[in-house]
């Protein structure tokens, strides 16, 4: 049985788009050429992989098995090619990693700035999402690592965790907010205002947030442009409030990767850069303090 990686990629595209027309377009083939590729794969494995009678072109039982292996083979081929390119020319490689929204405006961008100065031709794909979704992307081998609250991954042997320093949460507002010039703010006073928090943070679950946002810049813009209070790690341009009786657990961040897979040279370089910025301090306390 001959397995063609190109045909496996076409099957993966069909499973994603559930349409021969859309899948063919996504891989830049005509519909007829795409259909012939899927048929050739089916002929090679000796069975039908797609139920063409179903409206959504569902994979058959055999198709599900082939898809499972196709994802691993295509991902492995990409990683092999990428790592060889990096060993031959580190700057020509590709890096895919992610982080949670709470770190997308501080630690990670600062680390990335130094990284791209060192490797200006490296192709970087940087995703911002919740820890749960990033974990799934990591397991699917789309990402090499991500930076997030690591408590949900520390006891799972499928993950490797490099711990970063814990970060306290700060509550902040825009400079013209009614609370911005008040001293001795009590926690009850906060309840009169909308509360916006970054998505997916386990240490913030006890808070009754009005809004959760996976876009760090959007969250900051909301706080700057409204009377909403924001929770973060000290965004510049915002007034950090001193609140009596306001206690929330620290975020316990770490760099999470797959336990039994070596990081590519570029990923290892970026990981080391994150550690350098974390150890040096990343400006988390640069927010203005209410006086």
């Amino acid at each position: 049985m001959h397995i063609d990686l190109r045909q496996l990629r076409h099957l993966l595209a069909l499973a994603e788009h559930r349409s021969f027309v859309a899948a063919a377009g996504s891989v830049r083939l005509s519909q007829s050429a795409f259909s012939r590729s899927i048929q050739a794969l089916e002929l090679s494995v000796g069975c039908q992989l797609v139920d063409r009678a179903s409206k959504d072109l569902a994979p058959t039982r055999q198709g599900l098995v082939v898809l499972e292996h196709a994802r691993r083979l295509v991902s492995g081929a990409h990683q092999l090619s990428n790592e060889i390119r990096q060993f031959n020319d580190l700057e020509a490689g590709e890096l895919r990693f992610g982080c949670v929204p709470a770190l997308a405006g501080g630690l990670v961008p600062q680390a990335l700035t130094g990284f791209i100065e060192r490797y200006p031709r490296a192709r970087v794909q940087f995703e911002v999402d919740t820890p749960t979704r990033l974990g799934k992307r990591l397991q699917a081998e789309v990402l090499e690592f991500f930076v997030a609250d690591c408590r949900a991954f520390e006891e799972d042997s499928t993950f490797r965790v490099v711990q970063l320093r814990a970060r306290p949460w700060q509550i902040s507002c825009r400079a013209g907010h009614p609370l911005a010039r008040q001293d001795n703010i009590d926690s009850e006073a906060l309840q009169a205002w909308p509360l916006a928090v970054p998505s997916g943070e386990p240490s913030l679950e006890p808070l009754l947030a009005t809004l959760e946002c996976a876009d760090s810049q959007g969250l900051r813009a909301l706080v700057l442009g409204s009377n909403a209070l924001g929770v973060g790690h000290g965004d510049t341009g915002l007034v950090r409030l001193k609140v009596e009786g306001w206690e929330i657990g620290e975020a316990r961040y770490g760099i999470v990767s797959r336990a039994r897979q070596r990081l590519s040279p570029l990923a290892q370089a970026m990981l080391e850069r994150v550690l350098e910025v974390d150890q040096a301090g990343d400006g988390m306390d640069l927010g203005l303090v209410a006086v």
Side-chain angles (χ1 to χ4, degrees):
M1 178 174 59
H2 173 72
I3 298 294
D4 189 317
L5 280 175
R6 186 166 177 265
Q7 293 171 350
L8 292 179
R9 291 189 182 97
H10 295 166
L11 181 65
L12 290 171
L14 185 57
E16 178 182 356
H17 294 280
R18 299 301 177 98
S19 161
F20 275 90
V21 175
S26 72
V27 296
R28 299 181 181 179
L29 283 179
S30 67
Q31 184 179 350
S32 58
F34 184 85
S35 296
R36 288 195 298 272
S37 177
I38 298 298
Q39 290 169 357
L41 178 60
E42 290 178 325
L43 182 62
S44 178
V45 299
C47 58
Q48 185 174 331
L49 301 177
V50 179
D51 182 2
R52 291 168 176 78
S54 67
K55 185 177 181 180
D56 62 350
L57 295 174
T60 62
R61 286 188 298 174
Q62 297 95 323
L64 290 172
V65 174
V66 175
L67 280 169
E68 181 181 349
H69 287 276
R71 291 187 181 95
R72 290 202 297 266
L73 288 169
V74 169
S75 175
H78 174 81
Q79 291 174 15
L80 173 61
S81 175
N82 183 45
E83 195 159 340
I84 292 298
R85 284 199 309 271
Q86 290 184 35
F87 275 117
N88 292 337
D89 179 3
L90 189 59
E91 294 185 12
E94 180 181 89
L95 169 63
R96 297 177 180 177
F97 76 103
C99 81
V100 290
L103 295 178
L107 169 67
V108 174
Q110 288 185 42
L112 188 54
T113 297
F115 176 85
I116 61 178
E117 288 177 355
R118 174 64 181 85
Y119 306 107
R121 294 191 298 114
R123 295 183 300 279
V124 179
Q125 295 186 27
F126 169 40
E127 298 185 12
V128 179
D129 214 327
T130 64
T132 299
R133 290 175 181 167
L134 290 171
K136 291 179 180 178
R137 299 281 282 170
L138 181 69
Q139 290 178 317
E141 301 187 0
V142 176
L143 304 176
E144 288 203 66
F145 70 87
F146 63 87
V147 188
D149 193 299
C150 61
R151 67 193 73 195
F153 304 96
E154 290 174 327
E155 303 301 323
D156 190 331
S157 62
T158 62
F159 297 105
R160 179 190 301 113
V161 176
V162 178
Q163 291 188 350
L164 303 174
R165 60 191 176 90
R167 282 171 168 73
W169 292 105
Q170 301 169 1
I171 189 161
S172 57
C173 65
R174 63 182 177 86
H177 194 284
L179 295 181
R181 294 294 174 181
Q182 290 188 25
D183 291 329
N184 302 319
I185 302 170
D186 60 42
S187 56
E188 291 185 3
L190 302 181
Q191 299 175 12
W193 308 99
L195 184 64
V197 303
S199 300
E201 292 292 340
S203 55
L204 295 182
E205 290 176 359
L207 294 181
L208 298 176
T210 308
L211 172 70
E212 290 190 31
C213 184
D215 179 356
S216 61
Q217 294 302 316
L219 187 63
R220 182 173 181 273
L222 173 69
V223 177
L224 282 171
S226 72
N227 281 334
L229 306 177
V231 177
H233 296 306
D235 290 330
T236 56
L238 297 177
V239 178
R240 188 170 72 242
L241 301 177
K242 295 180 178 179
V243 183
E244 295 181 355
W246 191 79
E247 296 181 2
I248 194 69
E250 293 180 321
R252 196 168 72 233
Y253 292 119
I255 303 170
V256 184
S257 58
R258 292 181 293 276
R260 289 177 286 277
Q261 189 160 342
R262 183 182 67 253
L263 291 175
S264 69
L266 275 180
Q268 185 62 41
M270 181 61 192
L271 183 150
E272 291 171 0
R273 178 61 185 160
V274 171
L275 289 173
E276 288 174 6
V277 175
D278 178 69
Q279 292 167 5
D282 58 293
M284 59 174 282
D285 294 319
L286 293 179
L288 301 174
V289 179
V291 294

